[in-house]
Amino acid sequence: MKNKGFTTRLVHSDRTLNPSSDGAIHFPTSNSVLFEYKDVNELVAVFQGKKVGHVYSRSSSSSNTALQNILAELENGIGAVTFATGMAAISAVFLSLLKQEQHIIVSRYLFGNTRSFFETLQNFGVNISFVDVTDINSVVKALQPNTKMVFTETIANPVTQVADLAAIGKFCAKHKLLYVIDNTMTPSILFDAKSVNASLTISSLTKYFAGHGNVLGGVVVDTGLYDWSNFDNISTHYKTSDTAQWGLTQIKKKGLRDLGATLSPKAASEISIGLETMALRIERSGKNALRLATYLHAHDKVKNVYYPGISDHPQHYIARELFGGNYGGIFSIDLEDNIDGHEFLNHLNTIICATHLGDTRTLALPVATTIFYENGHEQRELMGINDNMIRFSVGIEDIDDIVEDLEQAFNKV
Ligand SMILES: *Cc1c(COP(=O)(O)O)cnc(C)c1O
């Protein structure tokens, strides 16, 4: 299947990667928590990683393995670990791979909850430099002798800054740093993180992967590009003969088994169904977003539009190169100063005011008073977030209906 297109591979992946003995098209949802073996010796071998199998479903189950096989294949990776949420995947990576006194370089433009997690990590003694990832010089300047990793999102929300992903990849390769990319905004159909030398990708499966706002999930994929023998925090237990598996093994053991944020088998099955239409949904929402952003850019009640697909966006050219003409489904706007954003949002009928993104439905949210409220004014300013900013996550609706909804709301303010 490797040489077939993205969606062909996807809709046939259950049968090719997870074949069933009864001819089932979908992998089964297996709810068993415990697993029996023919004798204790075999059970012990599975426990010690000498034989493949499951021992307890907090650590692994056939439903999770099946989804992991599909996700690793889609990203051209060597393996994947699934989690209960995207935040569980993020926290597991850093908690399982870092120690006190070590240093990481992290994007200043982050999903609010991820930023909040890094502040917790600082409380445990990990040193973090928050830098402007659109500018490679600020990444380079942050390097210290004890730097272990660089972490960035691809297109940050809500302001849509695009990281200089290729330049950061070269920098990480040169200094043997682990390069971790949160690829939630630009799943591999849009952006191949491996092409910029990413070591690990993290994605919230809740967003574009599952796509329908009915299930939570997260995943970490190892691209196979990083040489884990350069990473000195790997426990001797996990230093097996296959160096390539060291990182994911530790993430699985420390980050999943010990922390326990396991994806339920039912959620794994639901995500795999949503996944089948991901490419179609992303294509449609990207087209819709470009159309809406262009409409809003020309509107006299809108002061600014932040969307990498608009040619005056500061990273438009980088984005065009990286994402092949689809700039994703997220953008933000500032309304003209004399317009009350909350009043405007209250006039919307079709567009839903809710937090979430990557859904089939178009969503709008005032960000400073909600998801970035805890960050406070000063930190928001550093992230480029204005107090009256509204974020849109564009869905797959018939776009004329969404334009009409915005137009009637503008007419009332
Ligand atoms: C939503 C999101 C997350 C967290 O994912 P959950 O599944 O909601 O925990 C992480 N990173 C980005 C960029 C996100 O948009």
Side-chain angles (χ1 to χ4, degrees):
M1 279 276 154
K2 281 271 184 230
N3 56 348
K4 300 267 199 300
F6 184 88
T7 296
T8 309
R9 271 155 60 208
L10 236 175
V11 297
H12 293 283
S13 57
D14 274 348
R15 281 160 48 245
T16 53
L17 296 170
N18 306 306
S20 75
S21 51
D22 62 359
I25 293 296
H26 296 291
F27 67 74
T29 306
S30 162
N31 287 313
S32 192
V33 168
L34 69 168
F35 301 87
E36 183 186 23
Y37 287 91
K38 110 179 157 306
D39 58 32
V40 177
N41 301 352
E42 201 176 336
L43 176 66
V44 168
V46 176
F47 254 98
Q48 295 181 1
K50 291 169 185 152
K51 187 180 156 63
V52 176
H54 311 295
V55 292
Y56 190 66
S57 69
R58 178 173 3 90
S59 294
S60 71
S61 62
S62 56
S63 301
N64 270 284
T65 304
L67 180 61
Q68 286 162 6
N69 289 342
I70 297 169
L71 295 169
E73 150 89 12
L74 286 183
E75 298 223 10
N76 237 330
I78 57 162
V81 187
T82 42
F83 292 88
T85 65
M87 285 316 301
I90 289 173
S91 51
V93 165
F94 294 92
L95 290 171
S96 62
L97 294 178
L98 290 171
K99 289 182 185 168
Q100 221 175 1
E101 307 295 324
Q102 294 183 330
H103 174 253
I104 56 175
I105 300 171
V106 171
S107 171
R108 181 196 292 166
Y109 314 118
L110 287 179
F111 176 61
N113 300 165
T114 306
R115 171 80 194 206
S116 168
F117 165 72
F118 280 120
E119 283 162 14
T120 306
L121 201 61
Q122 285 176 313
N123 292 341
F124 285 95
V126 173
N127 300 314
I128 304 181
S129 300
F130 292 102
V131 305
D132 177 4
V133 287
T134 67
D135 171 19
I136 184 63
N137 292 322
S138 63
V139 179
V140 172
K141 263 192 263 165
L143 184 70
Q144 297 180 11
N146 59 343
T147 304
K148 296 288 162 201
M149 298 186 192
V150 177
F151 174 77
T152 185
E153 295 172 7
T154 55
I155 304 178
N157 100 70
V159 190
T160 72
Q161 296 97 338
V162 181
D164 195 349
L165 295 160
I168 298 172
K170 285 187 190 129
F171 166 76
C172 288
K174 183 171 164 200
H175 297 282
K176 299 186 166 61
L177 302 175
L178 193 74
Y179 185 17
V180 185
I181 293 182
D182 180 335
N183 204 21
T184 300
M185 288 295 171
T186 53
S188 60
I189 179 80
L190 278 190
F191 170 60
D192 173 16
K194 217 172 156 170
S195 71
V196 297
N197 190 47
S199 318
L200 297 175
T201 66
I202 306 179
S203 304
S204 167
L205 300 175
T206 316
K207 310 290 171 55
Y208 290 104
F209 287 75
H212 299 75
N214 65 335
V215 61
L216 292 156
V219 68
V220 179
V221 175
D222 189 325
T223 61
L225 295 178
Y226 186 74
D227 178 359
W228 287 96
S229 64
N230 290 320
F231 201 81
D232 49 16
N233 291 349
I234 302 293
S235 155
T236 48
H237 293 301
Y238 313 136
K239 288 185 175 173
T240 52
S241 56
D242 186 2
T243 331
Q245 289 298 330
W246 288 8
L248 275 192
T249 304
Q250 183 146 315
I251 291 167
K252 216 168 178 173
K253 298 282 188 180
K254 297 285 173 191
L256 182 60
R257 183 198 63 189
D258 296 6
L259 297 178
T262 306
L263 184 69
S264 78
K266 184 164 180 291
S269 303
E270 283 180 10
I271 290 164
S272 75
I273 304 295
L275 202 51
E276 294 188 359
T277 55
M278 180 163 73
L280 300 178
R281 288 183 281 102
I282 284 183
E283 191 186 321
R284 173 80 165 233
S285 70
K287 261 192 199 146
N288 279 355
L290 184 60
R291 163 90 192 276
L292 269 196
T294 308
Y295 155 78
L296 290 164
H297 193 251
H299 204 286
D300 60 6
K301 290 183 178 168
V302 176
K303 195 156 114 187
N304 297 305
V305 175
Y306 306 87
Y307 185 57
I310 301 270
S311 60
D312 64 9
H313 185 285
Q315 292 93 39
H316 173 66
Y317 291 96
I318 285 192
R320 197 167 69 177
E321 207 147 279
L322 289 169
F323 310 131
N326 182 332
Y327 302 91
I330 309 295
F331 64 78
S332 294
I333 62 170
D334 296 325
L335 293 172
E336 285 296 346
D337 294 335
N338 58 347
I339 299 176
D340 179 340
H342 286 199
E343 191 201 336
F344 170 74
L345 290 169
N346 281 333
H347 288 304
L348 294 171
N349 298 320
T350 310
I351 297 171
I352 299 170
C353 292
T355 184
H356 183 38
L357 56 87
D359 200 77
T360 51
R361 300 154 191 83
T362 298
L363 314 173
L365 188 73
V367 289
T369 48
T370 59
I371 46 176
F372 289 92
Y373 179 66
E374 266 189 32
N375 298 79
H377 184 77
E378 213 169 289
Q379 208 179 80
R380 282 198 299 272
E381 264 198 331
L382 273 176
M383 296 170 134
I385 301 171
N386 295 322
D387 281 345
N388 60 351
M389 184 174 275
I390 295 172
R391 182 187 77 187
F392 288 87
S393 167
V394 183
I396 62 170
E397 298 98 331
D398 302 281
I399 195 61
D400 289 342
D401 296 328
I402 301 300
V403 173
E404 201 178 293
D405 194 27
L406 288 167
E407 194 56 31
Q408 63 81 28
F410 276 125
N411 288 338
K412 291 180 184 152
V413 293

